[in-house]
Amino acid sequence: MGHTWMELFERIEGCEACGLCKTRKRVVPGEGNPRAQLMLIGEGPGAEEDDQGRPFVGASGALLTAMLHSVGIERTEVYIANVVKCRPPQNRTPTPDEAAACKVHLRAQFSLILPQVLVLLGATASKYVMDEDVRIRRDHGTWTERKGIWMMPTFHPSALLHDPSQKKLAWQDFQAVRQKLKELSS
Ligand code: URA
């Protein structure tokens, strides 16, 4: 570890640790406040993210931005990254090997930011960052503390686009995130 941001971006840019490098248009390292108290982690870039090289810029990104805004958190305050930095073809779920190959980058980002709160967006991020056994419908909104870091799984915004009836639950989760940030900074 011990990278600077520039070294890290260069490493991600040139990464060929898994097959996703063959089909990507652009790498999507992540973006946001390098000193964020809150880091959000999604699954992997989709088509628009692959075009732009930025995370959560498509329809699910617009929903994520709106959900954050609705609880008084601006996107620029937080850091947003994904389990894998390159788009899986046809937006399939990243394989365990791909997630493992990319973990070094996520760890390096985490070490540079040192956020106090981690929000795992959906099953893939929850599985690879928190725990194999997380079930979003059962465990969303539940806090786990590890070495002083507070983690919470919640719904992936694209799942909310498919099933808007879960939006209220997700919004309650984001309110709890707001509350946790308040508690930690007081
Ligand atoms: N879905 C994700 O998990 N990440 C993105 O960056 C965009 C959509």
Side-chain angles (χ1 to χ4, degrees), residues 42-46 49 55-56 60 82 156:
E43 177 173 309
E49 290 78 17
F56 283 100
S60 62
N82 282 304
H156 191 287

Side-chain angles (χ1 to χ4, degrees), residues 51-113:
D51 280 339
Q52 294 189 37
R54 297 179 52 212
F56 283 100
V57 288
S60 62
L63 179 57
L64 178 62
T65 305
M67 302 264 307
L68 287 168
H69 187 75
S70 76
V71 296
I73 302 172
E74 296 309 318
R75 232 183 115 124
T76 48
E77 291 173 50
V78 307
Y79 197 90
I80 304 179
N82 282 304
V83 168
V84 292
K85 312 303 189 209
C86 301
R87 182 190 182 198
Q90 281 85 48
N91 298 344
R92 63 162 170 74
T93 305
T95 65
D97 283 352
E98 289 160 355
C102 218
K103 196 148 194 178
V104 63
H105 302 314
L106 192 59
R107 283 221 176 96
Q109 287 175 311
F110 179 84
S111 302
L112 284 166
I113 300 163

Side-chain angles (χ1 to χ4, degrees), residues 2 4 20 24 38 51 58 69 73 78 83 97 105 125 137 151-152 161 179:
T4 63
L20 297 182
R24 72 181 175 219
L38 168 62
D51 280 339
H69 187 75
I73 302 172
V78 307
V83 168
D97 283 352
H105 302 314
R137 278 171 193 262
M151 304 183 206
M152 180 213 272
L161 291 173
Q179 185 58 31

